[in-house]
Amino acid sequence: LQILVTILNENDNSPVFPQPNITRQIPEDTEVDTVIVAREEVTATDADLDTIYYKLTTTVQNTDGYFAIRGVNNPEIYLQTALDYDKFNSTTLLLYARDRPLTSPEPTNTTTATITITIKQSDTRAPWFLPCTQLHNDTSVCISSPYSGRVNISEMSTDPLLLEPGPIYAVDPDYTISDRIVYRIVGGNTNKVFSVDADTGNLTMNNIVTSPDSFLLQVMATQVSNVRKYSVATVEIKVIPKSNFPPYFEKEVYNGTVFVGLLQRSFVYQAGDPSTPLVITAMDQDFPDV
């Protein structure tokens, strides 16, 4: 008697990843569609020879959509959206492998691989002149105001000029790189009256100014290791007559009168003359006609 026995394959094995834990460090300026983890590194095997179905998720909030797999049966991980170091600098991905489709009612075996990704900041931004204001809490853009100062006509100053809103100063906004900044004047420096210290940004005079015309300097801040990363700031220097006398008040004491019950911003009137507003006047001998 011949008996034929057929053994049926039971789905009793879970998929197995070649590496259950993978670590990657990638630069911030990695191009979209770049492969982060190759297919062969995350392709699971199944002793039951079942078709494997994959799904990728992230465990870090607000990092969805940056990384993806090529397809439900292709676990190659690639960059789907451009990175921004200021938004996040690391994330953890979970890659699930199943031996049945997600919608299958049959019993399913699942295994997981963990992919830890660290983002390295790249030199993507030009220097920022300080102080500056970020737009709508966007840390990638910071707008600075022009600098301004003044010098006396026909007078030589040996000290660094005082500027508003502060001294010329720029930083590398890619703060983990923090490249050294150097300065130079690239425009508006008629007759080379001014010079800027390459390291400190201090603005000084080389010659006296004989004309009342203002200067509109353009000062460039450049990263030492990457000359293509630069910014230009405007510095307005006004030329004014030398002030030899301090201002003074016409009177040492001013007397005024106010009335009970007046609204805010109401006039104060001269004492003894309730119809004439009180006016406080200062004079300056340097400007007798003003």
Side-chain angles (χ1 to χ4, degrees):
L1 179 62
Q2 185 177 15
I3 300 173
L4 181 63
V5 178
T6 301
I7 301 174
L8 301 177
N9 189 14
E10 183 74 17
N11 184 20
D12 55 356
N13 292 285
S14 296
V16 177
F17 282 108
Q19 300 179 64
N21 294 286
I22 298 174
T23 300
R24 287 287 184 275
Q25 184 181 73
I26 60 175
E28 176 188 11
D29 58 354
T30 299
E31 293 185 3
V32 171
D33 205 47
T34 298
V35 175
I36 306 301
V37 184
R39 180 175 184 174
E40 56 269 18
E41 293 184 78
V42 284
T43 296
T45 57
D46 190 340
D48 298 318
L49 303 179
D50 292 319
T51 300
I52 306 299
Y53 300 86
Y54 300 92
K55 179 183 178 181
L56 186 68
T57 64
T58 179
T59 63
V60 179
Q61 189 176 7
N62 299 325
T63 62
D64 288 327
Y66 286 90
F67 302 92
I69 56 176
R70 296 293 183 184
V72 68
N73 299 121
N74 183 353
E76 180 179 86
I77 299 174
Y78 69 98
L79 182 64
Q80 184 173 243
T81 303
L83 298 170
D84 185 344
Y85 185 87
D86 290 328
K87 292 183 178 179
F88 69 97
N89 53 38
S90 65
T91 188
T92 300
L93 308 176
L94 295 180
L95 180 62
Y96 295 92
R98 303 163 50 94
D99 55 14
R100 293 290 186 273
L102 186 63
T103 57
S104 174
E106 299 180 28
T108 302
N109 295 310
T110 304
T111 192
T112 306
T114 302
I115 300 95
T116 302
I117 296 178
T118 303
I119 300 168
K120 183 180 179 181
Q121 190 172 36
S122 300
D123 191 8
T124 59
R125 293 176 291 190
W128 288 350
F129 281 98
L130 300 181
C132 64
T133 304
Q134 294 178 354
L135 295 180
H136 311 296
N137 297 321
D138 183 357
T139 57
S140 64
V141 179
C142 201
I143 305 300
S144 59
S145 301
Y147 296 94
S148 62
R150 60 185 184 181
V151 295
N152 293 329
I153 194 169
S154 301
E155 182 175 305
M156 183 73 175
S157 174
T158 57
D159 296 325
L161 301 184
L162 298 178
L163 303 176
E164 294 291 340
I168 297 173
Y169 181 62
V171 296
D172 181 1
D174 299 312
Y175 52 87
T176 64
I177 300 173
S178 193
D179 198 1
R180 188 166 69 90
I181 306 297
V182 292
Y183 307 89
R184 63 191 178 103
I185 299 174
V186 294
N189 194 16
T190 305
N191 298 325
K192 297 183 178 180
V193 171
F194 302 98
S195 62
V196 65
D197 187 284
D199 295 316
T200 66
N202 286 336
L203 191 66
T204 54
M205 297 183 68
N206 299 321
N207 306 299
I208 62 172
V209 182
T210 58
S211 168
D213 297 332
S214 297
F215 291 81
L216 201 61
L217 306 176
Q218 284 81 49
V219 177
M220 176 185 287
T222 308
Q223 293 180 204
V224 170
S225 64
N226 188 350
V227 295
R228 294 184 178 181
K229 298 295 183 183
Y230 66 88
S231 295
V232 177
T234 300
V235 183
E236 183 182 14
I237 303 297
K238 294 182 178 180
V239 181
I240 62 173
K242 183 178 179 180
S243 179
N244 295 310
F245 302 96
Y248 63 92
F249 289 104
E250 289 185 316
K251 299 179 181 179
E252 292 186 0
V253 178
Y254 290 83
N255 296 309
T257 300
V258 294
F259 300 96
V260 176
L262 288 178
L263 299 176
Q264 291 183 0
R265 304 183 68 85
S266 296
F267 283 119
V268 175
Y269 293 93
Q270 293 184 17
D273 187 359
S275 63
T276 303
L278 178 64
V279 178
I280 299 175
T281 305
M283 303 293 291
D284 191 330
Q285 294 182 45
D286 291 309
F287 306 96
D289 299 327
V290 177

